[in-house]
Amino acid sequence: MELRQIIYFIEVAKREHVTRAAENLHVAQSAISRQIALLESELGTPLFEREGRNVKLTHMGKVFLEHAERIVIEMDKAKERVEEFLNPEKGVIHLGFSSSLSVHTFTRVFTQFREEHPNLHFQLLQGTKKYLMQKIEKGDIDIAFIAPVVTDHPIVKGDTFFTEKLLLLLPENHYLCSEPIVRIGQLAGERFVTFRSDSSIRRTIDKACNQAGFEPIIAFEGEDMDTIKGLVSAGLGIGILPELAFSYNLPKDVRTVEIEDPAFIRSVGVITPKKRELAPSEKLLYGFLKSFYDRLYRFQL
């Protein structure tokens, strides 16, 4: 089995057409057909069903595709690792970022890092904590910024850099604005403008409300923090957001109030794979992040 056979197979599977795959790869159609035939012969099973000029994956073809894509990913990562070991100051760092975090608040971190390592660049991948953990497990990324930080997990290890509060966001004319601190039970009957159900913040809200004896009324659910701020400002409901999200784009006609519940304090940090070593460029970033937040924490003390 050759790597080019796997690459040809993936391209045909993606386009479901041998001719289009050949055009995209800039090789002869006959070459692709021959290599796929050799691959099928070696595996002892057909990978495609022919439907006129188009092709469709067989059941075993779908199984093989899943593993074939992993092989190509690992080969690309292997090439990147070799290049980085030759020069760790060049390349792209693939960094996962939890959708419950604000990229805006971390621009200072990334700006300082780029000043020290100007030839390294970031490619950010945003999603839920579960999604990012799956990406690490598959080998697509090796480092992700998340909250809360995962502990005691078989696949990833976590390192907490700091903690932050989740604060209540209210329209300025809301009766709870005069309270210095609120209990979660006081929010029964309120309409929540919040994240989707797979978000860690949403799960915290749902669990806290259930423990207080009520189901939260969801007026809106989404992924964008600025949208939540705007809808609270418009009077659609109340929101709960991390305190760092209030450092930018905060409407003038909203107020923040603390929540009296330890569940609304969360850890923020990174997760990395337990069974894979970070690339040299990723180690540079990891060390920088740890040092940056250590200094920031000592300064605050």
Side-chain angles (χ1 to χ4, degrees):
M1 187 180 300
E2 300 178 7
L3 181 60
R4 65 171 174 168
Q5 293 175 335
I6 295 174
I7 293 173
Y8 290 175
F9 163 76
I10 293 174
E11 190 68 23
V12 173
K14 181 169 62 176
R15 299 185 181 278
E16 297 186 339
H17 201 285
V18 176
T19 302
R20 296 193 192 109
E23 291 172 351
N24 191 61
L25 292 171
H26 304 292
V27 297
Q29 178 180 336
S30 59
I32 289 185
S33 298
R34 183 171 61 253
Q35 292 302 324
I36 289 180
L38 290 172
L39 181 60
E40 290 178 323
S41 177
E42 181 177 349
L43 293 173
T45 183
L47 300 174
F48 293 101
E49 295 176 350
R50 276 66 183 178
E51 298 181 353
R53 295 186 177 182
N54 295 326
V55 294
K56 297 283 187 181
L57 285 170
T58 63
H59 172 70
M60 290 310 302
K62 294 177 181 178
V63 172
F64 186 73
L65 176 62
E66 180 181 348
H67 295 278
E69 288 177 329
R70 291 182 184 178
I71 290 171
V72 173
I73 289 172
E74 287 302 318
M75 288 299 297
D76 289 341
K77 287 177 69 68
K79 289 172 61 178
E80 289 180 5
R81 292 292 175 89
V82 171
E83 293 171 356
E84 287 181 0
F85 274 107
L86 294 175
N87 189 352
E89 289 288 348
K90 288 186 177 181
V92 178
I93 297 176
H94 302 273
L95 176 65
F97 217 94
S98 172
S99 52
S100 67
L101 291 171
S102 170
V103 176
H104 181 91
T105 58
F106 295 100
T107 52
R108 175 183 168 193
V109 179
F110 297 139
T111 299
Q112 289 190 20
F113 181 79
R114 286 290 306 281
E115 288 175 354
E116 296 184 17
H117 308 281
N119 295 319
L120 280 172
H121 303 276
F122 290 102
Q123 182 174 341
L124 296 179
L125 176 69
Q126 192 173 37
T128 64
K129 182 171 67 174
K130 180 180 179 181
Y131 172 77
L132 295 175
M133 290 173 64
Q134 290 173 342
K135 285 294 185 181
I136 287 181
E137 185 175 359
K138 290 175 62 178
D140 295 340
I141 59 174
D142 282 333
I143 183 168
F145 232 126
I146 69 165
V149 178
V150 176
T151 58
D152 192 25
H153 191 276
I155 302 298
V156 301
K157 57 183 177 181
D159 193 355
T160 298
F161 291 150
F162 63 94
T163 59
E164 68 174 343
K165 298 175 183 177
L166 299 178
L167 301 178
L168 180 63
L169 184 66
L170 302 168
E172 63 178 353
N173 60 352
H174 197 283
Y175 75 97
L176 287 176
C177 287
S178 60
E179 298 285 337
I181 190 168
V182 302
R183 300 182 309 277
I184 195 69
Q186 293 176 263
L187 304 181
E190 296 287 345
R191 296 172 61 84
F192 284 78
V193 177
T194 185
F195 297 94
R196 301 189 192 279
S197 58
D198 57 353
S199 162
S200 60
I201 292 180
R202 173 65 179 277
R203 288 195 297 270
T204 296
I205 294 171
D206 289 346
K207 183 178 179 180
C209 292
N210 290 335
Q211 289 177 342
F214 70 95
E215 290 286 335
I217 303 170
I218 307 301
F220 170 86
E221 58 179 15
E223 298 178 358
D224 182 69
M225 292 191 188
D226 284 344
T227 299
I228 292 175
K229 296 174 192 176
L231 292 177
V232 171
S233 172
L236 187 65
I238 65 173
I240 294 178
L241 293 174
E243 59 184 325
L244 287 179
F246 300 121
S247 63
Y248 69 100
N249 292 346
L250 189 64
K252 295 180 180 180
D253 51 355
V254 296
R255 300 291 181 268
T256 60
V257 181
E258 288 192 27
I259 304 171
E260 188 181 23
D261 191 321
F264 290 90
I265 298 177
R266 66 176 188 171
S267 56
V268 181
V270 298
I271 53 173
T272 54
K274 283 186 175 180
K275 299 180 181 179
R276 291 195 306 273
E277 185 179 359
L278 295 180
S281 58
E282 293 167 339
K283 287 181 179 178
L284 286 175
L285 174 63
Y286 188 91
F288 177 87
L289 291 172
K290 195 167 183 61
S291 175
F292 179 92
Y293 287 109
D294 282 346
R295 294 194 307 269
L296 184 63
Y297 179 73
R298 286 197 299 270
F299 177 76
Q300 289 177 339
L301 288 180

